[in-house]
Amino acid sequence: SQTIHQWPATLVQPVGSPLSLECTVEGTSNPNLYWYRQAAGRGLQLLFYSVGIGQISSEVPQNLSASRPQDRQFILSSKKLLLSDSGFYLCACRPPSRGLRETQYFGPGTRLLVL
Amino acid sequence: AQTVTQSQPEMSVQEAETVTLSCTYDTSESDYYLFWYKQPPSRQMILVIRQEAYKQQNATENRFSVNFQKAAKSFSLKISDSQLGDAAMYFCAYAGNTGKLIFGQGTTLQVKP
C-alpha cells in the first residue's frame, strides 16, 4: 500500500515570502496526485491535480502553482505569499491501477500560517 | 456540477450509543463512488467507508455502516457502539467521472463519556 509524506509539517511565513511544500509517495508508481487546501473548520478545496510527470491541472485561479518533477513527487509553490494563503494543505494519491472514482489516500498535511 | 451537502455542522453522542450523520448530494451521473472520511484532531484524512453507486447493498466496515438511497441521493453514516476515539470531523465526499473528490462541509462529532 502507498505511503504519503508531506514536508514540512508546520510552516510560519511572512507575507510576500516564497513557499515550497513537498509531497512524496512511496509504494506505488505513476499515481494521480492532488493538492487540497482546507481553511479552518471548512471542507477541502481541490487546488491542483497531476496525472503524470510535468502534467498539472489547476482547479482554482490563485497565487499558487504546482509542479511534478518526478513520478512520486508533487510540489506546491508560491513566489509571494498572501495572508489568504494560510490554511492546511493536504496531498492525496490515487493509485493508477484503479479507476477514476477510486479512493484517494491522504498525507498528514502541512499547516501554513502567513503573518 | 456535482455538490455535496452535510446539513449537520455538529453532532454529539453518548459513548456506546449509535449516531447517524447525514449527507446528500446532487449529480446527473449514474456511476460514481461515495466516501466518508474521518479527520481527527491531527487533521489527517482517514477513509472510513466507501460505497459504489452501482451496488445496491449498503457498505459496512465493523461499527460503521451506510444507508445509501440512490434515488433520494442520500448517503448517511451510522456509527454503532460509539467510542471516544470516534470523536472527529467527518466528511462526505463524491467521486464521479472526472475522478475529482467533491467534499461536503463536514460534521463535527463529539462523543461524551
Side-chain angles (χ1 to χ4, degrees):
Chain A
S1 64
Q2 63 283 322
T3 302
I4 303 163
H5 303 279
Q6 288 189 243
W7 183 89
T10 304
L11 190 61
V12 181
Q13 291 285 93
V15 170
S17 64
L19 172 75
S20 181
L21 303 183
E22 185 170 342
C23 170
T24 58
V25 180
E26 294 178 356
T28 185
S29 296
N30 196 30
N32 283 19
L33 297 174
Y34 304 82
W35 277 113
Y36 291 88
R37 177 168 60 198
Q38 184 182 28
R42 303 287 301 274
L44 277 69
Q45 178 187 39
L46 178 63
L47 301 176
F48 300 94
Y49 69 94
S50 172
V51 299
I53 296 173
Q55 301 179 62
I56 308 294
S57 295
S58 174
E59 286 296 297
V60 182
Q62 59 206 316
N63 185 44
L64 302 170
S65 62
S67 62
R68 186 169 176 177
Q70 299 181 41
D71 180 46
R72 288 173 284 182
Q73 184 184 33
F74 202 23
I75 297 173
L76 185 68
S77 304
S78 174
K79 292 182 180 178
K80 290 185 177 182
L81 283 169
L82 305 173
L83 288 174
S84 57
D85 292 325
S86 293
F88 188 62
Y89 289 82
L90 285 153
C91 179
C93 162
R94 180 173 57 76
S97 58
R98 302 182 176 181
L100 281 174
R101 303 172 192 83
E102 285 281 351
T103 305
Q104 291 184 22
Y105 298 92
F106 287 81
T110 294
R111 293 173 176 79
L112 172 65
L113 179 60
V114 182
L115 300 175
Chain B
Q2 295 82 21
T3 58
V4 177
T5 302
Q6 293 178 250
S7 58
Q8 306 156 316
E10 296 180 358
M11 293 282 285
S12 67
V13 62
Q14 208 70 32
E15 195 176 5
E17 294 188 347
T18 297
V19 65
T20 298
L21 307 184
S22 301
C23 173
T24 58
Y25 59 95
D26 190 26
T27 184
S28 58
E29 297 175 333
S30 58
D31 193 10
Y32 50 86
Y33 286 16
L34 296 164
F35 305 86
W36 279 99
Y37 282 91
K38 171 185 178 181
Q39 189 178 41
S42 68
R43 298 190 76 177
Q44 179 157 10
M45 297 289 282
I46 302 166
L47 177 69
V48 174
I49 198 166
R50 79 173 195 189
Q51 174 80 43
E52 292 91 334
Y54 63 85
K55 291 187 177 179
Q56 293 186 343
Q57 186 172 7
N58 289 326
T60 299
E61 288 287 343
N62 301 314
R63 297 183 295 107
F64 299 87
S65 61
V66 299
N67 183 6
F68 174 48
Q69 301 290 327
K70 191 172 183 178
K73 296 179 182 174
S74 171
F75 182 61
S76 61
L77 175 69
K78 185 172 82 172
I79 305 174
S80 304
D81 185 24
S82 297
Q83 300 175 359
L84 295 177
D86 295 334
M89 197 159 189
Y90 287 81
F91 289 94
C92 178
Y94 170 101
N97 292 335
T98 65
K100 301 171 191 177
L101 272 180
I102 300 169
F103 286 87
Q105 290 300 301
T107 297
T108 299
L109 177 66
Q110 181 185 26
V111 181
K112 299 177 180 177

